[in-house]
């Protein structure tokens, strides 16, 4: 109840209205409201009488009545002695959601005092229950029956109360079913079809998704919804995968005798996977060792483990590892290799020595034990036909230790002789054929070069074929001719540190041509007032460059400046000097001047010639051999 005070035109008199919600109807969504109008004295007791009209409007509905008190009607002072002068009853409809705030206005007119008055105000009525509210709902999986709790204050006044589960909020995917109007919980007993519908909604890279629980209330021709969002998880839905393996390489099958034996690196392993998805999912891809299986099976090289993986459209992975020793027999084969060198026993002898080593699988393939065969053939270089030299014998010509082998019978690799049939004046080719049970007819060809004396000489040369040492210390780097033989000529050694205004051959340039050296001596003036270009007089120049240059005084002190000169004495601003050269001339670049009377320029140049080609420094038909 609310008491709403009004005012009159006489301060000794007051009016108030008691506005009271006497009852409400859930089914009709309305309230019964009574307005009671009272007249009272604000000061001392008094009396009144005559005729009065009272009008009251509640929620826009106006009602009025007449009031005819006899004169004199006594009235005491204060609200406690107030006289009820009128009562009005109203039926007030509520808003659709059950709420309502009702307003009231009252008017008073009379032929006695107070002759006029009014009051106005409002009250909030009871919020009439209209919809049931969902209170709790669980996260759940596709194998469970989820239970919700709810409250329905309207009870049986509702015409319908239902619950459903929606995937998006736009449809009752798990259809509405009636729930108790007077109850507080409901369990969804999901059918197989409903479970499959939920599972098929989680096929985009995840096993989870959001779903919405709905409680729908229909009352008084209106429909209300209460919702909670929760997480659905699909469980026990991982795909499965199995696989078989077999070797289909005829070469390895021949020596293993079993398709279930895999030889490392050489078997052709055929893997056939079988995968299955669960709960509405589908297999999107299958991989073996990260290689996609595009057909029914895949063929891979032999290894000791094959990782089979199946992927579904929920992003789940099934795994099956085929492991050597468990799912198949694995042969850890070591590929056969051969590395060898061929040398003459002495520089001018006819014996060739062979040393070699390699890797070898020293084990069994199952039905076949591995074995190593090494044969050698020979011929003169560029000859057409090979001649069988022999078959090397294990434990005589070579030994096998674990999974390696080498020439000789010692612990380390040693040379073995191929015989004394190889004329040192000729070059031979030696072909080595090596095989084991798996790798057949492998070969490598080695070159047995013709013999070379320790030193040799001719009419105008003396060659040392090797490093030149004095007291076991290397004297000078060796030079290479076009046969890549190490040689030292007398002229080469004599000219290494010779300087002359005549042309001297001092060695070879990077292209193999002879390299020449010459000193250009210039004794004329050098001045910025002339072009300073001069012919060097060297013919048929190919490549030419200044090895070094300097300018030297003619005085007793013989002061020398290396070119380029950037500063003369303490003079930092003048006298700069440099030199450039090309195939026909050289030129001084100068800032001021250098007098030929006082200074002579020395330019040491190296060059090759267009008329030269790569030459053999050793003239074989004039060679006398020693050693």
């Amino acid at each position: 109840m609310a008491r709403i005070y009004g005012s009159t035109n006489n301060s000794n008199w007051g009016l108030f209205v008691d506005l009271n919600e006497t009852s409400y109807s859930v089914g009709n969504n309305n309230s019964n409201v009574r307005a009671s109008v009272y007249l009272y004295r604000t000061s001392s007791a008094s009396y009144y009488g005559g005729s009065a009209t009272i009008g009251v409007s509640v929620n826009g509905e106006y009602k009025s009545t007449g009031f005819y008190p006899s004169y004199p009607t006594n009235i005491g002072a204060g609200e406690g002695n107030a006289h009820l002068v009128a009562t009005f009853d109203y039926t007030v409809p509520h808003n659709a959601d059950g709420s309502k705030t009702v307003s009231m206005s009252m008017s008073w007119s009379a032929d006695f005092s107070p002759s006029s008055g009014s009051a106005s105000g409002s009250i909030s009525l009871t919020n009439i229950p209209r919809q049931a509210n969902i209170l709790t709902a669980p996260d759940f999986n596709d194998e469970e029956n989820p239970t919700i709790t709810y409250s329905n204050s309207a009870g049986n006044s509702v015409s319908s109360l239902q619950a459903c589960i929606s995937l998006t909020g736009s449809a009752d995917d798990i259809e509405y079913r009636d729930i108790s109007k007077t109850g507080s919980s409901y369990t969804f007993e999901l059918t197989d079809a409903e479970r499959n519908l939920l599972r098929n909604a989680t096929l985009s890279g995840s096993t989870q998704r959001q779903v919405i629980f709905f409680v729908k209330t229909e009352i008084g021709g209106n429909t209300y919804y209460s919702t909670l969002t929760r997480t659905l998880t699909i469980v026990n839905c991982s795909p499965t995968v199995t696989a078989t393996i077999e070797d289909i390489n005829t070469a390895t099958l021949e020596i293993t005798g079993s398709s279930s034996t895999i030889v490392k690196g050489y078997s052709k392993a055929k893997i056939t996977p079988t995968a299955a998805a669960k709960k509405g999912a589908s297999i999107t891809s299958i991989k073996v060792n990260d290689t996609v299986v595009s057909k029914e099976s895949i063929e891979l090289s032999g290894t000791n483990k094959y990782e089979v993986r199946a992927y579904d459209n929920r992003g789940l992975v099934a795994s099956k590892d085929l492991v050597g020793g468990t799912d198949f027999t694995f042969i850890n084969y070591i590929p056969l290799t051969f590395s060898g060198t061929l040398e003459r026993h002495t520089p001018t002898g006819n014996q060739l020595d062979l040393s070699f080593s390699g890797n070898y699988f020293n084990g069994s393939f199952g039905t076949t034990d591995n074995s190593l065969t090494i044969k050698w053939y020979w011929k003169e270089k560029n000859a057409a036909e090979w001649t069988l030299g022999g078959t090397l014998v294990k434990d005589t010509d070579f030994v096998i230790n674990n999974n390696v082998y080498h020439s000789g019978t010692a612990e380390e690799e040693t040379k073995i002789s191929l015989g004394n049939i190889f004329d040192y004046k000729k070059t031979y080719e030696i072909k080595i054929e090596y095989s084991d049970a798996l790798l057949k007819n492998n070969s490598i060809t080695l070159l047995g070069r013709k013999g070379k004396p320790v030193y040799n000489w001719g009419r105008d040369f003396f060659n040392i074929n090797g490093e030149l040492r004095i007291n076991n210390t290397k004297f000078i780097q060796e030079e290479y001719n076009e046969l890549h033989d190490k040689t030292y000529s007398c002229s080469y050694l004599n000219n290494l540190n010779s300087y002359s205004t005549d042309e001297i051959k001092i060695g070879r340039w990077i292209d193999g041509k002879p390299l020449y050296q010459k000193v250009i001596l210039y004794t004329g003036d050098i001045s910025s007032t002339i072009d300073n270009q001069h012919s060097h007089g060297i013919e048929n120049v190919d490549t030419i460059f200044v090895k070094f240059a300097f300018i030297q005084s003619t005085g007793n002190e013989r002061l020398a400046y290396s070119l380029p000169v950037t500063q003369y004495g303490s003079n930092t601003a003048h006298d700069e000097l440099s030199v450039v050269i090309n195939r026909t001339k050289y030129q001084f670049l100068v800032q001021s001047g250098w007098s030929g009377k006082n200074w002579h320029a020395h330019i040491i140049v190296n060059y090759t010639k267009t008329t030269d080609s790569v030459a053999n420094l050793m003239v074989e038909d004039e060679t006398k051999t020693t050693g």
Side-chain angles (χ1 to χ4, degrees), residues 79 136 148 160 179 190 195 201 204 244 267 278 309 311 315 330 405 459 475 548 562 601 627:
E79 288 182 38
T136 64
I148 63 171
S160 174
I179 62 177
L190 299 176
R195 295 185 195 279
S204 300
T244 61
S267 285
K278 292 183 179 180
R309 302 290 183 264
Y311 304 83
F330 179 68
Y405 67 95
R459 182 174 59 247
F475 176 62
F548 63 93
S562 296

Side-chain angles (χ1 to χ4, degrees), residues 254-287:
E254 183 180 347
I255 60 175
T256 64
S258 172
S259 62
S260 63
T261 298
I262 302 298
V263 178
K264 180 181 179 181
Y266 289 88
S267 285
K268 184 181 289 185
K270 179 182 178 181
I271 295 115
T272 304
T274 302
K278 292 183 179 180
K279 293 187 174 180
S282 59
I283 298 297
T284 56
S285 68
I286 301 175
K287 295 182 180 181

